[in-house]
Amino acid sequence: MSFGYKRRKTTTARVGKVQIGNQHPIRLQSMTSTSTMDTAGSVAQSKRIIEAGGEIVRLTAQGVREANNLANIHAELRAAGYDTPLVADIHFNPAAADVAATIVEKVRINPGNFVDPARRFRHLEYTDEEYLEEIKRIEQRLIPLVEICRKHSTALRIGVNHGSLSDRIMSRYGDTPAGVVESAMEFLRILRRLDFNDVVISIKASNTVVMVNCVRLLVDAMNKEGMYYPLHLGVTEAGNGEDGRIRSAVGIGTLLAEGIGDTIRVSLSEEPECEIPVAAMLVERLKDWETAPEIYGTEYPGFNPIEPSRRKSVAVANVGGHNTAIAIGVDDIDEALTVKISTDIETDKLVTEAKKAHDKILILTTTHVNPAEALKGAMHTLTASGITNPLIPEINYNDASPEATMVYAAADMGSILLSGFTDGISIKSSTIDSCGIATLSLGILQAARLRFSRTEFISCPGCGRTMFDLQTTVNHIKAELSHLRHLKIGVMGCIVNGPGEMADADYGYVGAGVGRISLYRQKECVERNIPQEEALPHLIALIKADGRWVDPTNP
């Protein structure tokens, strides 16, 4: 079979002057973090996003008042010569969606809270008839919004967040990829019955494996029902700095490599215009991949492309088998136990070379312009031929800038790791020193959920709902808790995804109001509405009370 990049075919969604779908460029977007009632601030931030290369700008609209003020923001941008489409982000308030749909070019609604009430983690029992009645209730509320959108040529995004699934969905499907996908499919089936087609879909999570597998499953579910809507990709609550870039690139880059994705948003706990260059890096290489030489190989029997399991290998020393994935340059590895093989050679010769080294760790290299796909093709072929050696992909980014190397390596290695291949990774660069390569490699393995070597911080990018200085707070919490490498800490600006994402974190710090914070132990709220200046000491006290605190070691 032939491996390589081939973009998924979709329908086209029209969002103002921008068209989203596979015959059009992959669109870059971001979201303001200002209050939507702050017209001047929102306009200024929107301009910075646009000037950085953003093609779509999203703003939150908590209520009808904020939705109405989108008209002022929209008018000021148009008066200043900016015709970039605006999107209203709606949670909990269908009336705000109705208003926003008359003003902006697209409205995002969340199936987890558009009609269903905010989740309380309650188990609800439904008969099949009662469940069907709930779907009918959703349809009756969607009909007026769809008619408004139709009248005003406004697009809709059905945006599912893993952290805000409704109690109804959770009760029937559990906290599973199937539940996440069904949350989207319920709305898509209604929109198809209503013959409304300017639709974009997203499924997001802070866990890259969950996000990637859910999107793969959604595409499969849509294909089975003859749906080909364009997809918006993003890893929500990715964090900031290197961690945020790596986590976003692993998730988004993996799906882009599979031809999935028509518009992307890199969510960073930073100024929103900082997101656009990262998104652009993820997209720019796809043009070269479209015209790249074909990659031939044999898919190994039993491979599950939707939710791959880790390839079985026979351990050589401490590599492969049931051992934790390694990073060349970080872990000690006896070079006498390794063999480098270029995957650029003919398939038969590749297998022959691998069979000669039956007791070695195989480090696979390539010069192909699409290195991840070339290496995956080789790994498929070797596995199909009965090769059980540990496999480690090695990619050399030569003189690419440090940030480009970070983004490219996270996307490429993420694509390989989240396809179930490889027992480790090897990254080469002439612009990053050995210490930086080690940090990058461990960050990628952690983002792929294969090895944990640092504190896991789950933090949202902030929006108009955020009631505190998110960027400063995240950096302060990181400074105090980064030595707790065994913990996952969530920092959420508001309750939209907060409680849900806390289920994936050990402890959570969630905005509850202006200057007020609620603290969570996983999804259990243990302290409510405490003053922000007391929140971090209280969080540290909570971790100590649970016996999970360790003192930082001296440098």
Side-chain angles (χ1 to χ4, degrees), residues 366-425:
T366 183
T367 60
H368 197 278
V369 69
N370 185 347
E373 199 67 14
L375 291 168
K376 283 194 292 184
M379 290 173 172
H380 267 289
T381 299
L382 292 173
T383 305
S385 301
I387 301 297
T388 58
N389 304 55
L391 302 179
I392 297 178
E394 181 173 285
I395 302 178
N396 193 330
Y397 294 94
N398 299 308
D399 57 356
S401 72
E403 183 168 27
T405 299
M406 180 199 311
V407 173
Y408 297 163
D412 290 337
M413 293 301 184
S415 175
I416 298 169
L417 293 165
L418 296 190
S419 293
F421 288 113
T422 175
D423 299 291
I425 59 176

Side-chain angles (χ1 to χ4, degrees), residues 14-337:
R14 293 166 177 80
V15 183
K17 69 167 188 174
V18 171
Q19 293 181 302
I20 300 175
N22 77 312
Q23 65 269 50
H24 303 287
I26 295 172
R27 306 300 186 178
L28 312 182
Q29 58 177 286
S30 184
M31 183 175 182
T32 62
S33 57
T34 49
S35 166
T36 309
M37 295 307 298
D38 177 5
T39 302
S42 296
V43 167
Q45 202 171 70
S46 297
K47 289 178 179 178
R48 296 203 302 272
I49 292 170
I50 296 165
E51 288 162 4
E55 298 168 277
I56 299 170
V57 175
R58 181 159 46 114
L59 305 96
T60 193
Q62 302 97 303
V64 171
R65 185 177 69 134
E66 289 82 2
N68 275 313
N69 200 55
L70 289 170
N72 294 322
I73 297 168
H74 195 278
E76 289 205 15
L77 284 168
R78 298 298 177 264
Y82 294 87
D83 60 356
T84 302
L86 302 185
V87 182
D89 194 67
I90 307 292
H91 296 275
F92 307 113
N93 198 328
D98 293 344
V99 172
T102 68
I103 299 167
V104 297
E105 285 76 18
K106 183 167 74 170
V107 172
R108 177 273 175 103
I109 58 174
N110 183 344
N113 55 41
F114 182 70
V115 174
D116 287 322
R119 67 188 294 179
R120 298 178 183 174
F121 300 99
R122 300 174 301 163
H123 184 77
L124 306 174
E125 294 288 347
Y126 296 97
T127 65
D128 289 345
E129 292 76 15
E130 288 170 339
Y131 199 86
L132 183 59
E133 285 302 312
E134 291 298 304
I135 302 299
K136 289 179 179 177
R137 188 166 63 90
I138 292 170
E139 181 165 353
Q140 289 306 305
R141 186 57 191 87
L142 262 180
I143 287 172
L145 174 60
V146 166
E147 291 309 311
I148 293 169
C149 289
R150 208 189 303 273
K151 178 180 178 180
H152 293 271
S153 299
T154 305
L156 277 176
R157 170 155 73 97
I158 306 303
V160 178
N161 279 359
H162 178 238
S164 57
L165 293 178
S166 68
D167 287 339
R168 176 178 61 82
I169 286 286
M170 290 280 286
S171 297
R172 174 152 287 207
Y173 295 93
D175 188 7
T176 63
V180 175
V181 169
E182 186 61 22
S183 184
M185 292 298 291
E186 288 178 350
F187 276 63
L188 294 180
R189 294 183 191 113
I190 293 170
L191 293 173
R192 184 163 65 176
R193 283 198 296 273
L194 298 175
D195 194 28
F196 184 80
N197 300 307
D198 282 329
V199 176
V200 180
I201 323 143
S202 67
I203 286 181
K204 296 188 179 184
S206 61
N207 182 315
T208 57
V209 177
V210 170
M211 174 264 193
V212 167
N213 288 347
C214 285
V215 173
R216 288 169 172 164
L217 186 62
L218 173 65
V219 170
D220 183 64
M222 287 197 297
N223 287 344
K224 289 175 179 176
E225 297 193 28
M227 298 178 182
Y228 306 99
Y229 300 109
L231 282 160
H232 168 128
L233 302 183
V235 176
T236 192
E237 291 102 28
N240 65 359
E242 182 175 284
D243 286 346
R245 285 159 175 77
I246 290 173
R247 195 178 299 163
S248 293
V250 166
I252 297 171
T254 294
L255 291 167
L256 289 177
E258 294 172 11
I260 298 170
D262 304 285
T263 178
I264 66 174
R265 190 263 174 114
V266 173
S267 298
L268 300 176
S269 302
E270 302 176 17
E271 291 302 303
E273 62 267 24
C274 296
E275 299 175 350
I276 301 299
V278 185
M281 286 182 194
L282 288 169
V283 170
E284 66 184 11
R285 293 193 302 163
L286 302 181
K287 295 175 184 176
D288 291 333
W289 293 358
E290 290 173 346
T291 57
E294 285 194 271
I295 301 161
Y296 295 99
T298 303
E299 184 178 289
Y300 75 82
F303 176 69
N304 180 353
I306 297 173
E307 193 171 358
S309 56
R310 186 171 171 183
R311 170 186 173 271
K312 292 181 180 179
S313 61
V314 175
V316 175
N318 64 334
V319 181
H322 297 292
N323 290 299
T324 301
I326 70 161
I328 301 292
V330 177
D331 302 288
D332 290 331
I333 181 170
D334 186 344
E335 290 190 9
L337 297 178

